[in-house]
Amino acid sequence: MSLQRALELAERGRGTTHPNPVVGCVIAQHGDVVGEGWHERAGGPHAEVVALERAGERSRGATVHVTMEPCSHHGRTPPCADALIAAGVARVVIGSPDPNPGARGGAEVLAAAGIDVEFANGELAFACRAQNEAWRTWITSRRPFVIFKAAVTLDGRMAVRGRRWISGEESRRRVHELRARVDAVVVGMGTVRADDPQLTARGVKVTRQPRRIAFGRGPLPDGSQLELLNGAVAEELRGLAEGGVQSLLLEGGPTLAASFFADDFVDKVLLFVAPTAGDGGGVRLPAFADPMRLSRLRAERSGEDVLLTAYVHEP
């Protein structure tokens, strides 16, 4: 229960910790919570330090629940592992290991100091990893975490004759919320020429607009606010990662999507399936040379549509 609470606390830092991950921490003593904290902003104290300060002397002999392995290095802040040792905690439950080679190892430091260390498992461990799925891919693969989003009919078509939208109003609102959370939105030049899209997050709370990018051969239409990238996808993704883009939403038609899938760059799939079939022309979801098995398939209502979510690569 305390680790679930730590996950909830971590979300309070969403949008303000970039480029750092979101992390939450709960300190309990004899079943009672004595301190809580979350990483609020990049450069500020980490979740463990905030929780320790709030717990004070009650940290001694306590159990710490933290969504990610405490750091072991001295960056803009001192190592959290050292702070936990100094506070005299007895046990640390860790939701997910830290994949950052420059910061991981906190669990070993704690164990060497005589602190009981336990890693979560099962669904709770997955939830802790998934909470920072984009950051984890950015750290380990040096490219953005790519989410392929499409609206389709029941028979897999990405267009319906005579209709601008396939999905309903609720689904379109959720897409704008998704744009507001990612670092970049990408379409191909076919979509640009057909629709001249804005790719902005509209009608939802926005901390910052994503970078809006077109992949392919130009030129862009006059007055377009999109960036044009025309290099190899792998090279452009590396460049985006170096520029701080951790998450990328892939929208548009099947041609660009097929190239991303072919090069194994898609990590997550979101399909808004509308209760419509037939009369949609020839534009369909991209075809694959070999079967592709997805994991953790989830289905939920999205207004009049059904949203299917699944992973190509689990975090």
Side-chain angles (χ1 to χ4, degrees), residues 213-257:
I213 299 167
F215 269 59
R217 302 296 177 184
L220 292 169
D222 291 341
S224 174
Q225 299 299 307
L226 306 186
E227 302 175 47
L228 180 62
L229 299 180
N230 53 24
V233 172
E235 295 176 3
E236 297 294 4
L237 289 179
R238 278 195 296 269
L240 289 171
E242 290 171 0
V245 174
Q246 297 182 8
S247 54
L248 183 150
L249 178 62
L250 177 60
E251 297 196 36
T255 303
L256 183 62

Side-chain angles (χ1 to χ4, degrees), residues 172-259:
R172 297 197 299 274
R173 182 188 64 80
R174 292 178 73 159
V175 171
H176 284 280
E177 291 177 343
L178 183 57
R179 288 178 180 175
R181 293 199 302 270
V182 298
D183 298 324
V185 181
V186 168
V187 294
M189 281 303 299
T191 299
V192 172
R193 295 186 184 102
D195 300 331
D196 191 17
Q198 298 180 52
L199 305 183
T200 52
R202 303 182 298 278
V204 297
K205 182 179 179 181
V206 180
T207 303
R208 59 182 173 84
Q209 289 289 350
R211 287 177 63 176
R212 292 160 288 152
I213 299 167
F215 269 59
R217 302 296 177 184
L220 292 169
D222 291 341
S224 174
Q225 299 299 307
L226 306 186
E227 302 175 47
L228 180 62
L229 299 180
N230 53 24
V233 172
E235 295 176 3
E236 297 294 4
L237 289 179
R238 278 195 296 269
L240 289 171
E242 290 171 0
V245 174
Q246 297 182 8
S247 54
L248 183 150
L249 178 62
L250 177 60
E251 297 196 36
T255 303
L256 183 62
S259 69

Side-chain angles (χ1 to χ4, degrees), residues 99-101 104 133-143:
N100 187 349
R104 65 190 178 199
E133 58 192 11
W135 177 82
R136 298 180 76 88
T137 296
W138 181 69
I139 284 291
T140 58
S141 301
R142 303 316 300 169
R143 66 166 177 82

Side-chain angles (χ1 to χ4, degrees), residues 50-75:
V50 175
L52 287 171
E53 289 178 349
R54 290 174 177 167
E57 284 301 314
R58 293 174 296 177
S59 298
R60 191 160 300 279
T63 296
V64 176
H65 297 81
V66 60
T67 55
M68 187 178 292
E69 181 180 10
C71 62
S72 63
H73 79 307
H74 200 299

